[in-house]
Amino acid sequence: MKTILHQAKTRGFANHGWLKSYHTFSFADYYDPARVNFGTLRVINEDRVVGGEGFGTHPHRDMEIISIPLSGALEHKDSMGNGSVIKRGEIQVMSAGTGVTHSEMNASDEELVHFLQIWIFSKEKGVSPRYQQKKISEFVQPNEFQQILSPNPDDQGVWIHQDAWFSWGEFAKETTTSYTIKRKGNGAYFFIISGKVEVEGQQLGPSDGFGVWEVDNISVRAMEGAVVLVMDVPMQLPNYLY
């Protein structure tokens, strides 16, 4: 088993006034050669955007972009004609593929929006762009990991063009469980939304990240009430990047 710890306090940080953004991995002006990615997981940004502001229209390609609001509401518009608002309890995915432009704005003029934006390299270059949004709060069960993203369009939750699975867990204090890697060659990256947990003996708090790979099952214990996101991703980058 191999592990890597990224404590919240060690992340990159950018303060643009309207935006405060923490970067788990190298992003924009923050660069650390030891923190470029975790397998195909390229970006975890924890963003807070003030009311009436946001990211204007900008392009992406060959990336699976996942947004998960933690509080407030996020308004999305893209060049495929999609327009929607997402809130906590929902997940949004945009497969950029051959190329797409989009904007992400705070849907409120007054309330802060706090969300995670996650980028994963697409499995293949040049897939058809697509958009999907689902309410995950309807099927998340207490004290167990619940799958919210997968490579399979027929699964509950959203799907992406990559052999990756996301699971969401909401745990009471002293709950013990385990997480099983979904695919040989994948690793699991744990991001703590709130509370405190212990993963394979490593104590973690809010916004800490912990990657585990070359193992099948991973032990998890909630030291207090906690919410945890697990990102199960291929550790090998796609061939088109070489």
Side-chain angles (χ1 to χ4, degrees):
M1 180 177 66
K2 294 182 178 179
T3 65
I4 189 165
L5 172 64
H6 297 138
Q7 291 181 309
K9 64 184 180 182
T10 68
R11 295 178 296 173
F13 176 66
N15 185 351
H16 299 285
W18 62 273
L19 164 70
K20 291 181 174 64
S21 183
Y22 287 91
H23 313 314
T24 296
F25 300 107
S26 296
F27 187 85
D29 292 334
Y30 166 63
Y31 178 72
D32 181 342
R35 293 176 66 158
V36 174
N37 61 297
F38 177 80
T40 55
L41 177 58
R42 177 61 189 87
V43 167
I44 303 175
N45 286 349
E46 183 176 3
D47 292 342
R48 293 173 174 86
V49 177
V50 302
E53 298 287 348
F55 302 91
T57 302
H58 58 281
H60 293 282
R61 65 184 308 117
D62 296 321
M63 198 71 72
E64 306 295 310
I65 299 171
I66 300 103
S67 296
I68 302 176
L70 302 179
S71 67
L74 186 68
E75 183 176 8
H76 167 95
K77 293 181 180 179
D78 63 46
S79 56
M80 296 176 283
N82 299 296
S84 64
V85 174
I86 56 171
K87 301 178 180 179
R88 181 163 182 141
E90 297 180 305
I91 184 172
Q92 174 200 87
V93 61
M94 186 179 72
S95 298
T98 54
V100 66
T101 60
H102 77 141
S103 63
E104 296 161 298
M105 306 297 293
N106 190 332
S108 169
D109 289 332
E110 300 177 356
E111 184 182 1
L112 185 85
V113 61
H114 176 202
F115 66 102
L116 296 179
Q117 184 162 109
I118 300 162
W119 297 5
I120 295 177
F121 290 112
S122 300
K123 185 175 183 178
E124 298 177 354
K125 187 175 183 178
V127 302
S128 297
R130 59 176 294 273
Y131 175 86
Q132 189 181 16
Q133 177 180 336
K134 283 280 186 77
K135 183 176 285 189
I136 59 176
S137 58
E138 295 178 345
F139 55 79
V140 169
Q141 300 296 318
N143 297 322
E144 63 181 62
F145 284 114
Q146 188 67 53
Q147 180 180 296
I148 60 172
L149 175 150
S150 80
N152 186 353
D154 297 326
D155 286 353
Q156 69 180 10
V158 295
W159 69 274
I160 62 172
H161 294 281
Q162 184 53 272
D163 294 323
W165 290 258
F166 283 15
S167 294
W168 184 273
E170 300 181 359
F171 300 103
K173 182 178 180 179
E174 294 304 327
T175 300
T176 58
T177 187
S178 64
Y179 179 83
T180 301
I181 298 288
K182 304 293 187 185
R183 171 184 173 272
K184 185 175 178 60
N186 275 22
Y189 195 90
F190 292 77
F191 188 88
I192 313 308
I193 305 297
S194 62
K196 294 182 180 179
V197 300
E198 187 177 83
V199 178
E200 287 295 330
Q202 176 64 57
Q203 295 185 8
L204 304 167
S207 300
D208 286 344
F210 187 59
V212 186
W213 69 107
E214 295 187 6
V215 67
D216 295 326
N217 295 293
I218 302 165
S219 64
V220 180
R221 178 175 73 91
M223 301 166 64
E224 61 184 45
V227 179
V228 182
L229 174 66
V230 186
M231 292 158 277
D232 186 327
V233 299
M235 297 303 291
Q236 180 68 36
L237 292 173
N239 291 333
Y240 66 83
L241 292 175
Y242 294 97

